[in-house]
Amino acid sequence: MRTIVHRHLGKMVAGAAIAVAGTAVMVGITLPGSAGADDSGGGNGAGQTSQQAGQGQGQAQGAVQPGVVEEAPAEGDKGKGRDPLTDDETERVEKLALDRQLFRSSENVEGDKGPQRITVDLAEPDESELDDPNAPRRAEVSFYDYKDDSLVTKTVNLDTGKVEGTDTQHGVQPPLSRAETVEAAQLLIADRLGAGLKADFKDSTGKELTSPDQLMLNSMVYRANAGTPAALADCGKHRCLRLFVKAKNGPWIDSRDLVVDLSARKIAKVG
């Protein structure tokens, strides 16, 4: 029997060490739509009424009544006080914050018109409004503009619909959005430096890696430091990241030595 030693097996074993640190955050980043799964098939008959029980006294035992799952009540279009933003409020403030001028002058992570949305959060009340139960609700909407590498944050009054403040900063790197992480994986798969990742994926799954949809992804902002290669010297000013990669239904694959510069749309290797 011959033993096959894969070229990248060492990287894959090293990558398993990421699992302990990365699993907790992976839960929040991958597959966010699973919360609404239907669980109505789990009825066990315990919910029968006394009337149903009486009707079944003369019948053979074992007839189980189907379980019933009530739908959650519809979410209101407007919250109150410090309630979390509703879906309607989130959609509304994003539209209010993204005015025509910002849309035309900015670019998202894919290079299309309009900035990349990062977060929409309920804003903290002004100090003078802390004890006011009728204080207006405000939201902070943050965008990353890849055209000039700036973070644009707008404060929107939910009661009046007006943008009350705009803050633009450079060199600020907020946590990465899901769309940015997926785009980074797409760039890596298409780049020659992604050959090792694709080879490891093929070794572990027997399939060709062609899409980020085949991976579970996490990411972390990368900033240049004293030992950073020249190709990554702008990271921090540019939007750069490291990917933590796991094959779906497969092992972790270590890609920590690769950095994706989303602003320049380039890949570089670190020590």
Side-chain angles (χ1 to χ4, degrees):
M1 179 185 298
R2 62 178 184 174
T3 302
I4 300 175
V5 180
H6 294 301
R7 176 169 57 86
H8 298 281
L9 184 57
K11 291 175 64 181
M12 292 170 62
V13 172
I18 308 171
V20 174
T23 300
V25 283
M26 283 296 301
V27 172
I29 292 182
T30 57
L31 307 180
S34 61
D38 181 14
D39 58 358
S40 62
N44 58 10
Q48 290 181 333
T49 65
S50 58
Q51 181 182 2
Q52 290 171 331
Q55 291 174 347
Q57 287 180 353
Q59 300 175 359
Q61 295 184 355
V64 180
Q65 297 297 322
V68 177
V69 177
E70 294 184 1
E71 293 184 3
E75 182 181 47
D77 61 358
K78 185 177 181 180
K80 296 180 179 179
R82 301 302 298 161
D83 290 345
L85 294 171
T86 66
D87 289 342
D88 286 344
E89 285 177 321
T90 298
E91 182 179 355
R92 178 170 172 252
V93 298
E94 184 178 356
K95 290 180 179 178
L96 291 170
L98 186 55
D99 57 53
R100 186 175 300 178
Q101 180 180 354
L102 178 59
F103 178 80
R104 289 179 174 177
S105 65
S106 59
E107 291 181 0
N108 65 17
V109 69
E110 297 179 359
D112 297 328
K113 276 190 177 182
Q116 184 66 48
R117 192 191 84 166
I118 304 298
T119 58
V120 180
D121 297 310
L122 188 69
E124 292 294 327
D126 293 340
E127 187 174 347
S128 61
E129 300 171 342
L130 290 175
D131 298 323
D132 183 358
N134 298 315
R137 280 166 62 82
R138 298 182 179 89
E140 288 187 347
V141 187
S142 63
F143 302 97
Y144 196 87
D145 181 0
Y146 277 88
K147 191 168 186 176
D148 65 356
D149 282 297
S150 62
L151 178 67
V152 180
T153 303
K154 297 204 173 191
T155 302
V156 180
N157 187 314
L158 287 159
D159 294 336
T160 65
K162 294 182 178 180
V163 176
E164 295 184 340
T166 300
D167 182 52
T168 302
Q169 302 178 73
H170 293 85
V172 177
Q173 298 297 333
L176 294 141
S177 67
R178 171 69 180 170
E180 291 171 303
T181 300
V182 170
E183 182 66 14
Q186 186 66 65
L187 290 173
L188 181 56
I189 292 170
D191 193 270
R192 62 179 182 81
L193 289 177
L197 170 65
K198 290 188 286 188
D200 288 346
F201 185 88
K202 180 69 176 293
D203 288 346
S204 62
T205 67
K207 299 177 182 179
E208 299 291 339
L209 176 59
T210 59
S211 168
D213 292 340
Q214 297 169 269
L215 303 170
M216 297 179 68
L217 298 167
N218 192 9
S219 60
M220 182 180 295
V221 169
Y222 177 86
R223 291 177 177 273
N225 53 48
T228 298
L232 298 172
D234 288 332
C235 288
K237 297 178 181 178
H238 283 187
R239 191 84 158 136
C240 301
L241 61 89
R242 273 176 164 159
L243 286 170
F244 301 90
V245 179
K246 184 180 183 298
K248 286 186 176 179
N249 301 317
W252 289 87
I253 302 175
D254 191 359
S255 60
R256 290 173 297 172
D257 60 341
L258 299 174
V259 173
V260 182
D261 183 337
L262 286 170
S263 301
R265 299 185 69 80
K266 294 180 179 179
I267 318 293
K269 197 168 185 177
V270 293

